Amino acid sequence: LLLPRGTLPLNVFEPRYLAMVDAALAGARMIGIVQPAADGTVGLSAPDGTNLYRTGCAGRITGFQESEDRRYLIELRGICRFDVADELELRDGYRRIRPDFAPYRGDLAPEDDIAIERERLLSGLKGYFEQQNIGADWDSLVKTPDERLVTTLSMVCPFDPAEKQVLLEADDLAQRCKLLIGFVESALRADNDNGNTALN
């Protein structure tokens, strides 16, 4: 998952994606990230039969390194979400689309003035990180600004693709935070319910 102003490191090794990165580097250095659609979701059908969601996020390559074994280690910085307006012909094996950025122009401005339920989010995270065996520098996490906190957690927490897509399509930071809290608290409740069942 890539979100506006989020940072996503990628290890690129498939020939078609190496060609895609080459093309991006020769142009505006932009790549679109779209998730595989959940089972039963109507999306864009891929040549291999995989469905993709219709909403993704465009990122700009801000870091690039080539390894000795011809892999690319790149860093994408999320710029703006988009809807897939049209799919274009394949080029060198990778998919190309015409994006529609119009519904998401607000992504271009930081959301610094939007209030979130920060304390509730941080409270749930402690138990969630323990449940998922996620190590974190808690002092740094507590000091992280709201937007970066919500964006990073949405991208790195091990939610399923459908949940991550809901986070991507959230209207604003406050809604994304509420959804994030819901997913965290739901996972904790499910874990508690399983524990109670085992004891009974």
Side-chain angles (χ1 to χ4, degrees):
L1 182 71
L2 179 64
L3 291 172
R5 287 171 294 285
T7 301
L8 180 66
L10 293 173
N11 179 7
V12 183
F13 55 88
E14 287 188 51
R16 59 180 171 164
Y17 295 133
L18 292 170
M20 179 185 69
V21 172
D22 285 339
L25 290 171
R29 295 194 288 172
M30 298 286 284
I31 292 175
I33 299 290
V34 182
Q35 288 200 112
D39 291 343
T41 301
V42 177
L44 301 167
S45 182
D48 63 1
T50 304
N51 276 346
L52 300 178
Y53 285 106
R54 290 190 173 272
T55 302
C57 184
R60 187 170 187 267
I61 299 174
T62 55
F64 172 84
Q65 184 178 355
E66 186 173 3
S67 66
E68 292 182 1
D69 58 354
R70 184 68 169 82
R71 286 179 297 118
Y72 290 163
L73 306 174
I74 66 172
E75 184 174 275
L76 282 184
R77 173 80 169 164
I79 302 297
C80 185
R81 292 171 294 171
F82 61 84
D83 291 331
V84 177
D86 290 305
E87 185 146 12
L88 309 175
E89 289 184 9
L90 289 176
R91 176 181 291 168
D92 296 327
Y94 66 88
R95 298 175 76 174
R96 300 181 305 136
I97 58 109
R98 184 171 61 81
D100 177 11
F101 292 107
Y104 309 104
R105 288 179 184 155
D107 290 351
L108 300 175
E111 298 184 285
D112 297 329
D113 58 344
I114 295 180
I116 66 167
E117 297 180 74
R118 184 183 180 91
E119 293 308 315
R120 184 176 172 188
L121 174 60
L122 290 173
S123 175
L125 278 178
K126 284 189 176 181
Y128 181 76
F129 281 0
E130 288 177 11
Q131 178 197 72
Q132 300 294 327
N133 296 314
I134 297 173
D137 180 347
W138 196 256
D139 289 337
S140 296
L141 197 69
V142 169
K143 295 174 185 174
T144 303
D146 289 353
E147 185 182 17
R148 191 185 315 160
L149 178 68
V150 171
T151 296
T152 302
L153 291 171
S154 297
M155 288 174 57
V156 303
C157 285
F159 303 127
D160 66 38
E163 290 170 328
K164 289 204 170 202
Q165 191 66 23
V166 169
L167 290 168
L168 172 70
E169 296 181 20
D171 290 338
D172 57 27
L173 186 68
Q175 185 186 35
R176 186 169 291 130
C177 183
K178 284 182 180 179
L179 291 165
L180 190 57
I181 290 168
F183 295 150
V184 165
E185 292 180 350
S186 177
L188 292 173
R189 280 196 303 273
D191 196 44
N192 288 336
D193 291 345
N194 289 338
N196 291 335
T197 301
L199 290 173
N200 292 335

